[in-house]
Amino acid sequence: MNYLEKYGYTPENIDSKVLAVKENLSKWSNGSVYCAALGMIDLTSLTVTDTPSKIASMVEKVNNFHSVYPSLPLPASICVYPNFAGVINKTRSSKDIHITVVGGCFPASQSFLDVKILECVNAVKDGADEVDIVLALNAFLEGNYEGAAREISEIGAAIRKVNPEVHLKVILETGSLKSYENIATASFLAMEAGADFIKTSTGKTEPAATPEAAYIMCECIAAFKAKTGRSIGFKPAGGIASAADAALYYGIVDTVLGEKWLNNKMFRFGASRMANNLISALEGKEVKYY
């Protein structure tokens, strides 16, 4: 299938469009945007040294956040490996904090489909209400779009049997897709296959998120909405750390998708360092809370 023809989309003048956002960055470099971005973060810990006590400690910092910063928003979710979903579920004090897991044999997505499905299903049974999986590049890069789409749709169907309200985010790993056309094709494929969000990167490969990839993905979300009526969320992740980064990606979403996407139901940041940097920008001094 030629997804670009189907949706009438070609990635054109992307570099100049990104440059235009950068040249107008002062529009989004302010406390209002920083505060909004803080509430869009999936606060993340994805290291080989993660332990139940380490994850519980991170959750307690979220639980206690308003006792220190009562006027600032909590993160949208806490993002961990699938085996820690239950730790968050037992430790969080507010159900408003979503439980996000990276599933499907993250970050490489190199395993059997039934293994990927089982991992995601078990995490949802343990309380995860958001599952981030990686596009099967072993199929996509071979031109096997049907196989790549089938994995997304089967994982989505399996987790929604456990919780019909669960959100599926599909990571495109845009730095490995090489071309703007591939990024666009992967975006449409993932959305058609049932993604509720499309996400740039795992943060485990280079390059990770780029504003150019983000711009293309947002244009694809707009084209998909125009053709199908479905609104798909966007999540930049990987290498995003500063308040300036937050302003740039916020500006891209605002420019391409508009106000309806400027909330944490439609727009997330996959970040950990960015939380402290945003709080620092808002407080006017260095903060290392998380």
Side-chain angles (χ1 to χ4, degrees), residues 190-214:
M191 291 187 287
E192 271 202 4
D196 297 298
F197 269 72
I198 53 175
K199 175 178 170 181
T200 57
S201 316
T202 62
K204 305 297 186 181
T205 64
E206 291 294 337
T210 66
E212 292 77 17

Side-chain angles (χ1 to χ4, degrees), residues 46 72 115:
L46 297 172
L72 298 182
V115 173

Side-chain angles (χ1 to χ4, degrees), residues 49-199:
T49 56
D50 285 344
T51 63
S53 59
K54 179 183 174 184
I55 300 304
S57 177
M58 182 170 70
V59 178
E60 289 293 0
K61 287 183 178 180
V62 175
N63 290 344
N64 296 326
F65 184 76
H66 277 159
S67 67
V68 183
Y69 300 105
S71 64
L72 298 182
L74 296 172
S77 83
I78 299 171
C79 178
V80 294
Y81 281 112
N83 48 308
F84 295 118
V87 174
I88 301 174
N89 203 19
K90 291 175 184 176
T91 311
R92 64 178 173 168
S93 60
S94 171
K95 292 289 180 69
D96 291 337
I97 303 298
H98 292 282
I99 302 173
T100 302
V101 298
V102 291
C105 300
F106 175 96
S109 192
Q110 296 283 15
S111 191
F112 304 100
L113 179 56
D114 56 353
V115 173
K116 298 179 187 182
I117 290 172
L118 179 62
E119 182 182 60
C120 295
V121 165
N122 283 351
V124 175
K125 287 179 178 178
D126 280 351
D129 56 4
E130 300 182 353
V131 178
D132 293 15
I133 65 170
V134 183
L135 174 70
L137 295 178
N138 53 14
F140 184 89
L141 294 176
E142 288 279 285
N144 181 9
Y145 298 157
E146 182 180 350
R150 184 173 63 251
E151 289 209 4
I152 295 168
S153 61
E154 291 194 19
I155 292 171
I159 61 176
R160 289 173 182 127
K161 284 182 181 178
V162 180
N163 175 6
E165 302 301 317
V166 69
H167 275 65
L168 180 65
K169 306 191 196 91
V170 177
I171 306 165
L172 306 185
E173 201 67 291
T174 54
S176 299
L177 296 179
K178 304 303 182 186
S179 73
Y180 289 175
E181 289 75 17
N182 275 350
I183 293 170
T185 297
S187 297
F188 289 124
L189 181 154
M191 291 187 287
E192 271 202 4
D196 297 298
F197 269 72
I198 53 175
K199 175 178 170 181

